[in-house]
Amino acid sequence: PSRYQNITHNINHLHISNGKKLTITDSTNDWNHIYNISLLTGEGEIEWVGVNRWFDNTPSGPSRLVLSGENSFKGSLLVNQWDNHGSMQHVSLAHDYAAKNMVINMWGDSNSRPGLAISTQNAHVAGIGGTTDTFVYAGGIKSYGNGANPVSSALNTLTINTAGKNHTYNGTILGDAANGLNIVKDGVGKQTFTNSANVVHDVTALQGSLEFTAASTVHGDISIAQGAELTLGSEYSLNAGQTLNVLTGTGGMPAVLNSNLVLNGGSLMFGAYNTSTAALSVQGVSLGSDFTSLNVLFGNTTSITAGASYLLAGGDWSALDGRLVYDAGDYLTATLSASGNGL
């Protein structure tokens, strides 16, 4: 084909045996490759090396790898564009379970910026890693030919089940107030995001540890199950219209927010309760400049024992004494107090 055209490769079934590695190397000319993989099985490794030259005036857009089916592949995908002089490769998860057992790593630099498009409503991966100049975004895969970074064009969910492993992603999760990603952490192990430019919507920690080491922009609610840990930088501000949910998980364990909780309004929703430990553990509690009141809501009330006392949240909550509005539900009579001993 002539320069700046796409070359499409349709692959019905790709199998990689355990311990084996497949390296895909793009050509060195100005052709952009599109790999459509319908079925991926095995337990090996894939490394996609981008060596094509991609320029701002390339009308055909970046090279693309699209995973369109439900795959059982238990392995890793490395998108390697380190120092490749303007190559820009993008991966699309176009099925909820296209990468459910796969760890995806992306290497790039300021000239070569790979991206991962979450192109389905509830994608699953086993972990994400990558360098600073990489992107994760929601919606269709970038296909237009200009040098701009991709943008999120939908609101989708990315569920990460680390299955006892630890992964760190240094790139950027892209989004805005309307579009982007809900992040769900499941399984033991830890997923860490380090970039302060991350923009996310709902954030849920069901198991293990989910850590945003730098303060990120959160447009939605946060939820933490008993026994799970969530870090949102050094402090997380609960604002009007947002809810911090405590979910049922490992009984007798607190849901842990490893950040200072700044209250500007919003709601605390308790769907799990402990008698011997706090249902919610936070680093510290303070009132923000916009604070007027905090709503405390109760779910899963059938699990509450009549006459029992529950420590909803540990720490010093005395600043909220007399400033709480709570809904005990139609069939629950409760007394709520905030003090230096907790909530």
Side-chain angles (χ1 to χ4, degrees):
S2 59
R3 296 181 68 193
Y4 307 140
Q5 298 300 307
N6 293 325
I7 302 176
T8 301
H9 313 269
N10 294 316
I11 303 168
N12 291 327
H13 184 188
L14 175 62
H15 179 84
I16 302 172
S17 299
N18 187 21
K20 302 298 183 181
K21 179 179 180 179
L22 171 67
T23 301
I24 303 172
T25 305
D26 287 348
S27 67
T28 57
N29 293 307
D30 300 316
W31 304 327
N32 291 319
H33 295 261
I34 300 176
Y35 305 93
N36 295 312
I37 302 177
S38 300
L39 180 62
L40 179 60
T41 58
E43 300 183 31
E45 299 177 56
I46 302 173
E47 181 177 0
W48 182 22
V49 181
V51 295
N52 69 310
R53 304 307 192 249
W54 185 89
F55 301 96
D56 286 0
N57 63 348
T58 307
S60 53
S63 288
R64 282 151 267 172
L65 191 156
V66 180
L67 301 175
S68 58
E70 180 174 351
N71 299 314
S72 62
F73 179 71
K74 297 179 181 179
S76 62
L77 168 64
L78 171 60
V79 184
N80 184 1
Q81 277 124 63
W82 189 262
D83 196 25
N84 283 327
H85 307 291
S87 68
M88 188 180 284
Q89 266 79 334
H90 285 247
V91 177
S92 171
L93 303 185
H95 188 286
D96 283 358
Y97 300 105
K100 61 183 179 181
N101 301 312
M102 184 188 303
V103 176
I104 299 176
N105 291 290
M106 294 182 289
W107 293 356
D109 59 22
S110 59
N111 292 317
S112 307
R113 293 158 287 148
L116 172 64
I118 308 304
S119 305
T120 185
Q121 288 188 338
N122 189 11
H124 293 70
V125 298
I128 295 180
T131 58
T132 302
D133 294 292
T134 63
F135 303 96
V136 180
Y137 57 102
I141 191 169
K142 177 180 166 67
S143 61
Y144 42 88
N146 63 43
N149 294 330
V151 296
S152 284
S153 58
L155 179 58
N156 294 330
T157 297
L158 177 62
T159 297
I160 306 167
N161 190 330
T162 49
K165 305 294 184 180
N166 299 331
H167 304 284
T168 299
Y169 180 61
N170 299 310
T172 306
I173 303 172
L174 299 173
D176 54 33
N179 297 312
L181 286 170
N182 303 314
I183 301 295
V184 178
K185 169 64 178 65
D186 204 355
V188 295
K190 184 176 184 178
Q191 175 68 56
T192 301
F193 298 102
T194 66
N195 203 308
S196 61
N198 288 328
V199 177
V200 294
H201 285 257
D202 293 347
V203 177
T204 303
L206 296 176
Q207 278 188 307
S209 177
L210 174 60
E211 180 175 4
F212 293 82
T213 58
S216 301
T217 300
V218 179
H219 285 296
D221 300 328
I222 70 171
S223 302
I224 313 170
Q226 294 168 300
E229 298 185 6
L230 173 63
T231 302
L232 292 168
S234 60
E235 65 179 33
Y236 166 71
S237 293
L238 181 64
N239 299 317
Q242 293 181 314
T243 301
L244 193 169
N245 298 286
V246 178
L247 307 177
T248 300
T250 303
M253 298 287 289
V256 178
L257 177 62
N258 282 322
S259 306
N260 290 315
L261 178 60
V262 180
L263 298 172
N264 283 311
S267 301
L268 289 178
M269 167 63 85
F270 290 92
Y273 311 92
N274 293 331
T275 54
S276 58
T277 61
L280 173 65
S281 173
V282 299
Q283 290 292 314
V285 182
S286 62
L287 300 183
S289 58
D290 296 329
F291 180 82
T292 56
S293 65
L294 175 71
N295 295 308
V296 181
L297 310 175
F298 298 91
N300 191 24
T301 55
T302 57
S303 66
I304 298 176
T305 301
S309 296
Y310 295 94
L311 180 59
L312 299 178
D316 185 354
W317 289 72
S318 58
L320 278 82
D321 189 25
R323 307 180 74 176
L324 295 171
V325 177
Y326 70 97
D327 179 7
D330 295 337
Y331 305 103
L332 180 66
T333 300
T335 301
L336 186 65
S337 61
S339 68
N341 298 319
L343 180 64

